[in-house]
Amino acid sequence: MTIFDNTLDADGALIVGAGLAGLFTALKLAPRPVTVLSPKPLGMGASSAWAQGGVAAAIGQGDSPRAHAQDTEMAGAGIVDHGTAEGVTAEAVARIEDLARWGTPFDRDDFGNFELGREAAHSANRIVKVEGDRAGWAIMQAIIAEVRRTPSIRVVEGITALSLARDNGRIVGVYCRRLGDRYSEPIYIRARATILAAGGLGGLYAVTTNPPGVRGHAMGMAARAGAIIADPEFVQFHPTAIATGADPAPLATEALRGEGAILLNDLGERFMPAIHPDAELAPRDIVARANFRQIQAGRRVFLDTRQVLGADILTRFPTVSKYCHDAGIDPVNDMIPVTPAAHFHMGGVKVDERGRSSLPGLWVCGEASCTGLHGANRLASNSLLEAVVFGARIAEDIGGLEPARSLAPFEGIEWNEAEGNKAEEVLRNTIAVQELRRIMGDLVGVERDEAGLKAALRQIAHLEATAEQVTSAFLNMTTSATLVAAAALRRTESRGGHFRLDFPEPSGDWEHHTEITLGEALAIRAGA
């Protein structure tokens, strides 16, 4: 199909985003036609490929979906949707079987049983993994290979979505631009069904474990189109990003603490046992705040794997070992310096049990969505599970739209490595983007208060008004930042990933999800 008048037709469903959520949905839609939009070649820009832990599933002897759901609800600090937790955990085994059938080389013992790991707040070993800490990468490689073999899936690389297209209140496609092309007219891609699966917002923060392109664009697009947003204030900070100064920060997987690694400060003091009965395996928000407070007090924090792993870390956790080696750290003999980093967004576009948003024609999947599964604090390794469960549900919900057929490629759109890398560097080094990330890290981070949140909202508004070039991409970022800060200001309590210094305890009045629109967030911002 050639470009004519800057309008293209998806000839079926359109998926924005090519991480696990988007690609899994595409495969589940096969053989019905689907077009997948990806800014970079498949596997290069998605958070899914960076996931180290694995997929949580009650697949071991003595475990059960109900126990998994109970752990999910406990970690979620009182606002996990019970029905969602029970439904997702019940579907976990079937989705693991899908991934295995498509070639994911999950770790197995000599009898073919899954080797299961444990992570924080899980009551059983139920993390299905690959080579210790390579699950995300391995799953994505298998999924990508299957996508490439599927003729009903058209993958368009080198294109980025800017905004959703509406007609009579319905989402009818997206406006896009070739990566690196800031001056031509946007391309409009029509679709009967649009699935937004373009990731979270960790890159809005100065210190993050997320890929550079994951900066709230998905939630920002949906909010600007009028979608209801749920729980945007709940941002999960991973306690143990490796403190190398790299951007993004490499991750030291929670599975290391599952193996018995401990946290120490630079005085050699182990501080977690005095904070929580589960010590280093306490819920992530508690460990992240403990590390944050050590650093705020002038201490450095280290993850010590030497006693429990020693030289085994090199073979059992090759990804972490490589990160350490690249930073000049010897994890066999040295402790690993760590710091909290923005990692996962529990909030997002509000969806129902089928993945439908409040806007007709728009489904949302993966970290861009808020399904109610995570509540105020995600249970470790539930994110990949959520992506595949809701990917399958969305595919079933929209599967009858089109007959089975293969698709021809779009002409004139392709990945250009030099242009793509240049575009990312330009965005990363833009003064307004750097300032936005500083604001979020300093004022809307691990710990918050009224004065800081109001200052953040005023500064975000000032950035929008004075930035040299206010593009759709930048507006998507500031929109998401505004939603997080406004909802955090409105929630006058502490719960899970949202901690207010001026309201340090949870409140029964707030034992529910947040629902907010961009208009409501802008009104809060105007009053700050």
Side-chain angles (χ1 to χ4, degrees), residues 459-474:
Q459 291 175 36
I460 294 167
H462 180 72
L463 276 181
E464 280 188 6
T466 61
E468 185 175 336
Q469 205 175 33
V470 181
T471 62
S472 293
F474 187 63

Side-chain angles (χ1 to χ4, degrees), residues 8 39 77 110 136 143 163 177 287 290 336 351 353 454 469:
L8 298 170
D110 293 340
I143 290 288
S163 56
R177 198 183 297 281
V287 183
I336 304 170
V351 297
E353 68 280 358
K454 286 184 173 180
Q469 205 175 33

Side-chain angles (χ1 to χ4, degrees), residues 29 38 40 44 46 63 88 234 242 271 296 335 339 381 509:
L29 275 166
S38 178
K40 296 183 178 182
M44 283 185 59
D63 199 4
V88 169
F234 294 116
I242 304 175
F271 50 88
Q296 289 290 99
M335 295 190 296
T339 183
S381 288
D509 294 340

Side-chain angles (χ1 to χ4, degrees), residues 50 63 67 72 118 144 163 167 170 186 232 264 276 281 314 376 437 456 521 525:
W50 294 23
D63 199 4
T72 298
R118 181 178 294 199
I144 288 167
S163 56
D167 184 28
R170 182 179 180 83
L264 300 172
H276 193 277
L281 290 179
L314 301 178
R437 296 181 73 192
R525 190 173 83 176

Side-chain angles (χ1 to χ4, degrees), residues 320-336:
V320 173
S321 297
K322 182 180 185 304
Y323 287 152
C324 289
H325 179 267
D326 291 347
I329 301 165
D330 174 10
V332 177
N333 297 298
D334 300 332
M335 295 190 296
I336 304 170

Side-chain angles (χ1 to χ4, degrees), residues 79-81 84 88 196 199-200 218-219 222 227-234 344-358 363-377 386 390 394 491 512-516:
I79 60 168
V80 170
D81 288 343
T84 299
V88 169
L196 193 55
M219 187 173 81
I228 295 172
I229 306 301
D231 295 346
E233 66 269 40
F234 294 116
F344 185 84
H345 191 210
M346 280 76 75
V349 184
K350 177 180 169 57
V351 297
D352 65 13
E353 68 280 358
R354 296 170 293 181
R356 294 184 178 188
S357 76
S358 60
W363 289 255
V364 188
C365 190
E367 196 174 347
S369 69
C370 183
T371 66
L373 176 67
H374 305 304
N377 189 32
E386 178 189 48
F390 274 85
I394 289 171
R491 183 176 283 270
H512 58 77
H513 294 286
T514 294
E515 291 189 12
I516 190 169

